[in-house]
Amino acid sequence: MTNIINDETIEYVGILAKLELSEEEKEQAKRDMGRMLDYIDKLSELDTSGVEPMSHVFSVQNVFREDVVTNGDMREEILKNAPGEKDGMFMVPPTFD
């Protein structure tokens, strides 16, 4: 494969990641990214026909419970703790910046 990681690519990635890289770090990043792309190309050579697509290695089940109200309407009880109340809502002193 032709290495598509060039100086412009490294410069662009550095800008996106807000990194200031030395020349040595840029060269190392170029080599690392090139190796990653080579590995991905190698993986694409594998025959995956007959392999079912999946989103997770293990089967995933929804573990959430049904959303059921268990404590009911306790508005009056809760509003007793408010410093003030108006139309069923807490009234608090205003705050300013």
Side-chain angles (χ1 to χ4, degrees):
M1 174 189 140
T2 310
N3 196 345
I4 60 171
I5 304 298
N6 55 26
D7 292 333
E8 284 180 15
T9 305
I10 295 299
E11 209 47 56
Y12 183 65
V13 170
I15 291 168
L16 290 177
K18 298 186 187 305
L19 296 174
E20 290 184 30
L21 301 173
S22 67
E23 287 304 313
E24 185 179 304
E25 290 169 324
K26 288 178 186 178
E27 288 303 314
Q28 183 62 46
K30 228 186 329 185
R31 286 191 299 272
D32 290 345
M33 287 182 184
R35 281 197 301 269
M36 285 185 245
L37 291 176
D38 290 343
Y39 182 69
I40 290 169
D41 279 347
K42 188 160 192 75
L43 288 175
S44 67
E45 294 173 8
L46 294 172
D47 178 18
T48 56
S49 59
V51 177
E52 295 236 0
M54 61 180 159
S55 61
H56 295 80
V57 177
F58 302 106
S59 64
V60 177
Q61 297 176 3
N62 186 353
V63 294
F64 299 113
R65 63 174 168 73
E66 191 66 33
D67 190 14
V68 179
V69 176
T70 58
N71 59 355
D73 183 14
M74 300 170 48
R75 177 182 292 189
E76 296 303 318
E77 219 174 298
I78 293 170
L79 284 173
K80 289 180 186 175
N81 296 314
E85 179 261 329
K86 181 179 179 185
D87 299 326
M89 295 178 276
F90 277 74
M91 289 275 300
V92 296
T95 57
F96 301 97
D97 289 304

